[in-house]
């Protein structure tokens, strides 16, 4: 039977108030009904085993260019940046780029930036303003990833707010509503972003530095090297995918810890738990609840036919809570044994997140730095919730705490 003819439960996440506990109740009810649900665009895969299959299958690819085509965007800056980027490539072309850049994005490669992460955290902590109270998004969560990406690519640190704006513009190109209402703005912003990165790469060609851009320009594997245009596309992807994702993942972590004070207290008493805290925040509340794929070669899975063109949304939020050997998957607990299977928050298969090592290191350092200093963490007002569609964002996060210098 074709999947578009099958009787499936419907999953609607566009209703008002679809965040926090209500979001997870809705996802849990859908998962209890079936491993697969229908949505406005395609189908949602809710079970872990099926999620792994669709993320790893070579018959599916990231649907960015295809979705742009459905919206009539077949040329111009938005289409060009998507087509040139790593997510817009597939097959041998994608494999070649991944082979050339993998060493630059390993967890060990990310470790070299940890001293800089601590310096940035310390500076922001000293500048936080009112003692014992802060708006965490503005004070900590937004500045840290943007500053670290700036340092990574050799951009001036004062350009960090601009890079964050560019990151938001790049994310907006995959927002159907935004493209319908703000297309000219997004086109212009994407073109400006592309020009900024092209100039950045050109500067590095003239004057190599000790940063990621110069490393990518110099990399060579079996005589193969990246062209400057390849480096431009990789840096655009890094800037576009490594800022708002990490800032919101950090924010979700802080709001979870505010709701679980005993966990935050344990982390403050023993900052060596920061790595486990990063793992648990990623597992429990992935900032990209759904990862989209499009079927490029017909797939048959569990007697269902997925025709070419079917858009599949893989749900990490439900899949993460079905890992083998996890005795309490529905509980937030940084000390729990979760088994050997890692979460799917960074995806899996050919399009596994290239920046996962850096993002994880930023979370690790942030939690380890903040927990001993922000004691008695608690909410200090209403959370400004965003939507779980795309990036599960938070607009504002007011926190109160007892400030302490460890």
């Amino acid at each position: 039977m074709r999947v578009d003819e099958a009787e499936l439960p419907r999953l609607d996440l566009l209703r008002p108030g679809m965040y926090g506990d209500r979001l997870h109740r809705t996802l849990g009810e859908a998962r209890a009904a079936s491993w697969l649900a229908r949505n406005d665009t395609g189908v949602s895969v809710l079970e872990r085993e099926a999620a792994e299959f669709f993320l790893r299958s070579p018959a599916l690819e990231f649907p960015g260019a295809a979705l742009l085509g459905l919206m009539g965007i077949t040329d111009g800056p938005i289409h060009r940046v998507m087509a040139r980027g790593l997510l817009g490539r597939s097959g041998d072309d994608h494999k070649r780029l991944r082979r050339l850049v993998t060493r630059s994005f390993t967890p060990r490669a990310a470790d070299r930036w940890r001293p800089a992460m601590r310096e940035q955290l310390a500076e922001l902590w000293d500048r936080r303003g009112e003692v014992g109270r802060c708006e965490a998004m503005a004070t900590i969560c937004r500045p840290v990833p943007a500053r670290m990406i700036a340092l990574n690519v050799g951009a001036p640190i004062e350009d960090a707010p601009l890079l964050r704006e560019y990151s938001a513009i790049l994310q907006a190109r995959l927002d159907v509503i935004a493209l319908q209402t703000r297309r000219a703005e997004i086109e212009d912003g994407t073109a400006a972003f592309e020009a900024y990165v092209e100039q950045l790469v050109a500067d590095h060609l003239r004057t190599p530095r000790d940063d990621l851009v110069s490393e990518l320009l110099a990399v060579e594997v079996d005589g193969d090297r990246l062209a400057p245009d390849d480096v431009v596309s990789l840096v655009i992807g890094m800037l576009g995918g490594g800022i708002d994702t990490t800032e919101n993942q950090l924010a979700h972590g802080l709001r979870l810890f505010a709701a679980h004070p005993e966990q935050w207290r344990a982390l403050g008493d023993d900052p060596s738990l920061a790595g486990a805290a990063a793992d648990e925040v990623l597992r429990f509340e992935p900032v990209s609840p759904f990862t989209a794929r499009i079927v490029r070669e017909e797939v048959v899975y569990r007697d269902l036919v997925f025709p070419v063109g079917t858009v599949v949304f893989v749900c990490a939020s439900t899949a993460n809570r079905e890992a083998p050997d996890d005795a309490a998957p529905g509980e937030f607990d940084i000390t729990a044994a979760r088994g050997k299977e890692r979460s799917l928050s960074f995806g899996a298969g050919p399009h596994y997140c290239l920046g996962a090592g850096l993002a994880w290191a930023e979370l690790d350092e942030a939690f380890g730095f903040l927990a001993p200093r922000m004691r008695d963490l608690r909410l200090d007002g209403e959370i400004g919730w965003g939507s779980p569609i795309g990036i599960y964002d938070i607009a504002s996060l007011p926190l109160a705490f007892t400030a302490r210098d460890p």
Side-chain angles (χ1 to χ4, degrees):
M1 177 184 293
R2 286 169 56 104
V3 70
D4 49 2
E5 298 172 349
E7 291 187 12
L8 299 174
R10 184 167 182 79
L11 181 61
D12 180 10
L13 299 181
L14 295 177
R15 288 172 288 168
M18 193 57 66
Y19 49 73
D21 291 340
R22 184 183 178 189
L23 169 64
H24 286 289
R25 283 197 303 272
T26 301
L27 291 174
E29 290 167 0
R31 172 66 188 98
S34 176
W35 67 274
L36 191 65
R38 198 175 306 286
N39 57 56
D40 288 338
T41 310
V43 292
S44 300
V45 175
L46 306 173
E47 182 211 56
R48 184 181 181 91
E49 182 181 61
E52 293 257 14
F53 171 83
F54 283 98
L55 286 175
R56 296 182 185 280
S57 173
L60 289 87
E61 64 184 40
F62 184 75
L67 292 178
L68 291 180
L70 292 175
M71 291 180 279
I73 301 176
T74 57
D75 57 13
I78 295 176
H79 183 271
R80 182 172 61 250
V81 167
M82 173 63 75
R84 288 171 54 183
L86 195 58
L87 283 175
R89 306 196 195 194
S90 59
D92 291 341
D93 189 24
H94 179 266
K95 290 178 182 177
R96 170 184 171 267
L97 283 185
R98 293 285 298 211
R99 185 182 75 252
L100 285 168
V101 304
T102 294
R103 291 180 185 175
S104 298
F105 290 93
T106 62
R108 179 174 294 180
D111 287 344
R112 66 178 286 209
W113 298 103
R114 286 180 179 268
M117 294 175 196
R118 295 170 197 144
E119 289 176 7
Q120 295 303 314
L121 287 162
E123 180 179 337
L124 292 168
W125 175 255
D126 290 341
R127 293 168 49 187
R128 70 190 183 280
E130 186 177 358
V131 175
R133 182 172 283 107
C134 73
E135 202 300 293
M137 294 304 300
T139 306
I140 300 168
C141 300
R142 291 195 185 107
V144 170
R147 284 171 169 236
M148 287 313 307
I149 290 293
L151 290 172
N152 265 250
V153 301
I157 195 71
E158 56 268 24
D159 281 3
L162 176 63
L163 297 180
R164 187 182 178 277
E165 290 180 19
Y166 283 150
S167 176
I169 288 170
L170 210 63
Q171 292 294 342
R173 69 193 166 144
L174 295 177
D175 185 326
V176 176
I177 296 175
L179 281 173
Q180 290 173 343
T181 58
R182 300 165 44 211
R183 178 169 172 176
E185 174 195 343
I186 297 169
E187 290 274 10
D188 291 345
T190 302
F193 187 10
E194 187 178 31
Y196 180 96
V197 176
E198 286 173 347
Q199 185 60 55
L200 183 73
V201 172
D203 291 344
H204 280 72
L205 280 168
R206 286 191 297 268
T207 309
R209 310 167 198 176
D210 184 20
D211 58 34
L212 182 62
V213 175
S214 291
E215 184 176 329
L216 292 175
L217 287 168
V219 71
E220 182 176 339
V221 177
D222 298 330
D224 191 11
R225 301 185 66 167
L226 294 168
D229 281 352
D230 291 330
V231 177
V232 168
S233 69
L234 288 164
V235 173
I236 288 175
M238 183 178 175
L239 292 172
I243 296 179
D244 60 345
T245 50
T246 307
E247 73 180 42
N248 284 292
Q249 193 69 75
L250 176 56
H252 278 294
L254 291 176
R255 69 133 182 119
L256 285 168
F257 281 117
H260 297 82
E262 74 290 349
Q263 299 284 312
W264 189 248
R265 189 179 309 114
L267 179 57
D269 292 341
D270 182 7
S272 69
L273 292 171
D279 286 337
E280 183 67 350
V281 168
L282 285 161
R283 182 197 74 87
F284 194 83
E285 196 70 276
V287 74
S288 296
F290 291 88
T291 299
R293 294 288 185 268
I294 189 168
V295 177
R296 285 308 187 195
E297 298 176 17
E298 183 177 278
V299 171
V300 179
Y301 185 74
R302 297 184 182 178
D303 298 325
L304 283 176
V305 177
F306 292 76
V308 172
T310 304
V311 180
V312 177
F313 293 88
V314 177
C315 184
S317 292
T318 50
N320 284 351
R321 302 189 184 200
E322 295 186 357
D325 304 321
D326 190 340
E331 297 179 7
F332 179 76
D333 186 352
I334 65 174
T335 65
R338 299 297 180 192
K340 296 180 180 180
E341 297 293 330
R342 66 184 179 189
S343 75
L344 298 182
S345 299
F346 288 121
H351 285 289
Y352 181 78
C353 178
L354 196 62
L358 183 65
W360 188 89
E362 289 183 44
L363 294 173
D364 179 19
E365 291 293 339
F367 292 138
F369 179 92
L370 294 171
R373 291 166 173 81
M374 299 175 72
R375 308 295 282 192
D376 309 314
L377 186 69
R378 57 200 182 275
L379 287 176
D380 191 37
E382 294 294 323
I383 297 173
W385 294 97
S387 167
I389 305 301
I391 302 299
Y392 186 11
D393 60 325
I394 290 180
S396 59
L397 182 65
L399 296 176
F401 51 90
T402 302
R404 183 183 300 173
D405 289 325

